[in-house]
Amino acid sequence: MEHRRFEADVRQILHLVTHSLYSDREIFLRELVSNASDALDKARFIGLQRDDLRSVEGDPSIRIECDADAGTITIEDDGIGLTADEASEHLGTIARSGTSAFADALKEKGENPDALIGQFGVGFYSAFMVAEEVTVESCSALPDSESIVWKSDGGEGYELTKGSREKRGTAITLKLRDDAKEFADNDALRTIVRKHSDFVPWPITIEDAQVNRAKAIWAQSPSEVSEEDYTDLYKHVSMDWQEPLTRIHIRAEGTLQFNAILFVPQSRPWQLDRLDYKVGVQLFQKGVKVLDHADNIVPRFLRFVTGVVDSPDLDLNVSREILQQTPIVQAIRKQLTKKLLKHLAAEAKKEDDNIYDQFWTEFGHILKEGIAEDAGNSKELLVELLRFETTQSDGATISLQDLKEGMEEGQEALWYYTSVDKDRIHSAPVLEGFKKRDWEVLLMTDPVDEWVAMSVPEYDGTPLKSVLTGELPEDEADDDETKKAKDEARPLITWMGELLSTDVAEVRMSSRLTDSPSVLVDKEGAMGSNMERILKAANQQVGPGAQRVLEINPNHALVQTLARLNNDGAAGLEPFARLLLDHASIAEGKLDDPQGFAGRLQALMAKAADSMGA
Ligand code: ADP
């Protein structure tokens, strides 16, 4: 007999579980049945590779029994079982997947554990929500292993002893707490199994009758599968409690054979941004689960997708790591990607619901990674799925196709404005000329949009141009007044170019301004200011600052006065010229030289006050 202490993490979880007020305690059964099913999957999978496993009499199954008088429930399976080492490793520490995600969620988010229990389950340990004592009797399927008994009251530790079980598999007996005796009832157990475990691919029996459907609905024709079946499968594979947002069911029967059901969740799984996030697509071969998290069966930009993929052609003679690199898996991945993106495009076309809008809000950001990386040659399909707000869309999002259809006479490019500064983007001076011409401009406020813009130089034959670098064509017919203003301003601009040569790359006449005297734009071919900002925010080295171009509005009263004074040979214009640069910086929400600015402003105010007195 051996007493062992639980690891600290386990003790913490057990404490939460035993003291939780969680009302849906019945999920303990889902968790234990799911473990039993995994154990059967593993045994079948390993059995394909070696033939010396302990065999099973009859068909492998999961059996649930209860004894109302004794207040016990037993869940028994013919799975892979546990050796003594495995028992102390898996039932004394936090091994993997479900339970460790729960522990992390608690640590990271400090969320209400009651809510989290339902969302993730807490694996094996959830048995202690209803049991005051749990006994695990197991005989590993591996030859020459000895059977074990593991027993615990869910407190500090557990006992591990030699057992007498001779059949391969595991029997878990729960001695129910006084407040959970109602679970020792066959009807109640049947209801719970149907509710949570209907899709478990192994027969689950209660009183010798099978309770669950245990069928691979992905192998059925979609017309035979009910909405409820799909939702149940979704909940089974994703552990989500909501319905899926949308799904596709593919049955490929050509040279490449596979069945697949893929789901898009309604909202982002909270773990999605974590490095160790595991893709939720399960891989099967003829109904045998081969991988729980087939992270290579969909590209990374679809990592929020869950579901199942089943192909008879998978090569099981290779390791699980290499399996995902095989040509067959690569080919399936390509098809799945294409089909899913086309499905999303079809959703986007529908106007009677807002599924696509919801999709884009939740996952658009991730989808864009696919464009930036051009993963799997899906760029063309992805470009059609892009949605952005614009200067005219009033908060709604539109596609590049919409933007193109709305082009005005004389507009030869699709214009976009990348800026992570969401608050100021609508009022930015660079947009003034576009507003005047009534040209719609895409507003790209997501950092990844910089990369999207670089990767999409044109759409359907029309170039995409940045309002920050592309020179806006001059209004064809400058009226006489503007012509005169430009002529007047030219010497001022040349002089300012020399004066500010260390501050900016160039000073030039602007045709994009209506209300502001000056604006800063990016130099074509150089790193953009938005990109610089993003890289700096990510603590990246950016080298010497991005070189900007200062544009001057010849129609602005202030500029006109300065131009006249300059043309008259007036001295002392330098602070004004520099203030035009300050002004453009402030309009962007940043000022590189606040002290210099304050000095210049003071000098000017003194002058102004002086002239008022005069
Ligand atoms: P998870 O299933 O998320 O990995 P659990 O806490 O539910 O976490 O289970 C821990 C581990 O215990 C499992 O990964 C598995 O290795 C082992 N285990 C649990 N139940 C069984 C069982 N019925 N048969 C064999 N192994 C089991």
Side-chain angles (χ1 to χ4, degrees), residues 31-40 42 75-77 79-82 86-87 89-100 120 122-126 136 138 169-172:
E31 302 292 315
L32 296 183
V33 165
S34 159
N35 282 347
S37 172
D38 286 347
L40 282 159
K42 267 184 218 157
I75 296 112
E76 185 176 11
D77 66 64
I80 190 73
L82 290 157
E86 286 165 347
E89 189 189 337
H90 299 316
L91 308 180
T93 60
I94 291 183
R96 280 154 296 169
S97 55
T99 319
S100 72
F120 304 110
V122 268
F124 171 76
Y125 304 109
S126 60
V136 179
S138 192
T170 305
I172 299 184

Side-chain angles (χ1 to χ4, degrees), residues 259-518:
N259 296 317
I261 301 179
L262 298 184
F263 300 98
V264 175
Q266 287 196 36
S267 46
R268 284 171 79 115
W270 66 270
Q271 325 92 310
L272 202 60
D273 296 322
R274 292 170 42 126
L275 280 178
D276 59 354
Y277 174 71
K278 295 212 179 88
V279 168
V281 180
Q282 303 184 347
L283 194 58
F284 289 76
Q285 194 227 26
K286 293 195 217 152
V288 183
K289 197 198 280 173
V290 183
L291 279 181
D292 259 328
H293 303 280
D295 52 9
N296 229 340
I297 203 86
V298 288
R300 256 189 75 71
F301 66 82
L302 293 176
R303 60 186 176 276
F304 47 84
V305 165
T306 60
V308 295
V309 177
D310 190 332
S311 172
D313 301 330
L314 294 183
D315 185 356
L316 295 186
N317 291 320
V318 297
S319 74
R320 292 183 186 202
E321 290 73 38
I322 294 177
L323 171 67
Q324 289 208 73
Q325 312 301 332
T326 55
I328 173 101
V329 170
Q330 299 294 323
I332 293 175
R333 167 184 159 119
K334 225 166 127 185
Q335 286 236 9
L336 290 177
T337 308
K338 209 167 84 187
K339 291 248 160 80
L340 193 69
L341 295 183
K342 287 195 164 159
H343 173 74
L344 290 170
E347 288 285 3
K349 288 229 160 62
K350 285 193 208 157
E351 277 170 5
D352 51 347
D353 58 33
N354 62 353
I355 288 185
Y356 192 75
D357 287 344
Q358 195 179 339
F359 168 78
W360 185 255
T361 310
E362 293 292 320
F363 303 109
H365 169 77
I366 300 172
L367 219 57
K368 286 175 187 169
E369 292 172 14
I371 294 198
E373 296 160 8
D374 191 18
N377 303 319
S378 2
K379 198 161 105 183
E380 267 178 45
L381 289 170
L382 283 169
V383 166
E384 297 297 339
L385 295 173
L386 287 173
R387 294 293 179 274
F388 296 101
E389 284 186 36
T390 75
T391 44
Q392 300 177 2
S393 72
D394 227 348
T397 57
I398 72 163
S399 65
L400 291 180
Q401 192 186 350
D402 296 334
L403 185 73
K404 183 166 167 155
E405 281 165 9
M407 277 167 77
E408 296 290 330
E409 276 276 315
Q411 186 183 341
E412 273 151 16
L414 297 170
W415 292 92
Y416 64 86
Y417 180 20
T418 53
S419 169
V420 288
D421 193 347
K422 286 189 186 135
D423 297 335
R424 255 177 286 263
I425 195 162
H426 279 279
S427 57
V430 278
L431 294 172
E432 288 173 7
F434 294 88
K435 286 184 183 152
K436 185 176 111 194
R437 290 167 172 79
D438 208 20
W439 292 1
E440 189 168 16
V441 176
L442 290 185
L443 300 177
M444 301 174 108
T445 53
D446 189 341
V448 72
D449 289 341
E450 278 288 342
W451 284 268
V452 172
M454 277 193 272
S455 317
V456 187
E458 56 110 41
Y459 174 74
D460 192 19
T462 308
L464 261 77
K465 283 195 187 169
S466 165
V467 302
L468 282 168
T469 52
E471 284 228 46
L472 191 57
E474 300 200 5
D475 273 348
E476 264 177 49
D478 271 348
D479 47 30
D480 288 347
E481 215 175 303
T482 305
K483 261 191 216 139
K484 196 167 143 247
K486 282 190 175 169
D487 287 342
E488 287 260 305
R490 224 157 259 133
L492 174 75
I493 287 174
T494 311
W495 171 71
M496 282 181 67
E498 282 160 25
L499 179 73
L500 301 174
S501 63
T502 51
D503 303 282
V504 293
E506 190 190 341
V507 179
R508 71 180 176 216
M509 194 84 70
S510 184
S511 35
R512 74 184 82 220
L513 292 176
T514 57
D515 303 335
S516 303
S518 59

Side-chain angles (χ1 to χ4, degrees), residues 106-278:
L106 275 181
K107 272 186 212 144
E108 278 175 19
K109 302 190 115 189
E111 277 198 36
N112 173 3
D114 285 350
L116 287 176
I117 286 172
Q119 202 171 336
F120 304 110
V122 268
F124 171 76
Y125 304 109
S126 60
F128 291 100
M129 284 197 292
V130 296
E132 59 187 27
E133 186 180 78
V134 176
T135 309
V136 179
E137 295 185 75
S138 192
C139 171
S140 168
L142 298 172
D144 307 325
S145 49
E146 289 184 335
S147 54
I148 58 110
V149 178
W150 179 105
K151 189 182 279 206
S152 172
D153 62 3
E156 295 294 304
Y158 58 91
E159 271 172 18
L160 192 59
T161 48
K162 276 207 179 99
S164 56
R165 186 181 168 87
E166 284 172 0
K167 284 201 293 187
R168 114 178 176 194
T170 305
I172 299 184
T173 301
L174 315 185
K175 185 156 179 265
L176 295 171
R177 286 166 26 174
D178 282 341
D179 63 3
K181 291 272 197 273
E182 77 263 23
F183 291 110
D185 174 81
N186 283 320
D187 287 333
L189 292 169
R190 259 188 287 270
T191 309
I192 302 172
V193 168
R194 287 211 186 93
K195 184 159 154 203
H196 295 294
S197 312
D198 213 20
F199 274 96
V200 169
W202 302 93
I204 303 171
T205 61
I206 293 178
E207 293 186 301
D208 288 330
Q210 183 169 336
V211 181
N212 62 330
R213 273 180 290 187
K215 63 186 176 192
I217 59 164
W218 49 93
Q220 292 179 284
S221 145
S223 61
E224 292 167 17
V225 183
S226 71
E227 243 358 90
E228 227 188 333
D229 286 345
Y230 283 121
T231 303
D232 287 351
L233 175 66
Y234 170 69
K235 289 185 174 168
H236 180 71
V237 295
S238 69
M239 293 287 185
D240 195 352
W241 72 100
Q242 292 175 295
E243 314 234 313
L245 181 66
T246 182
R247 58 144 200 280
I248 51 169
H249 185 167
I250 307 168
R251 301 214 305 158
E253 280 161 345
T255 39
L256 183 64
Q257 282 190 35
F258 69 91
N259 296 317
I261 301 179
L262 298 184
F263 300 98
V264 175
Q266 287 196 36
S267 46
R268 284 171 79 115
W270 66 270
Q271 325 92 310
L272 202 60
D273 296 322
R274 292 170 42 126
L275 280 178
D276 59 354
Y277 174 71
K278 295 212 179 88

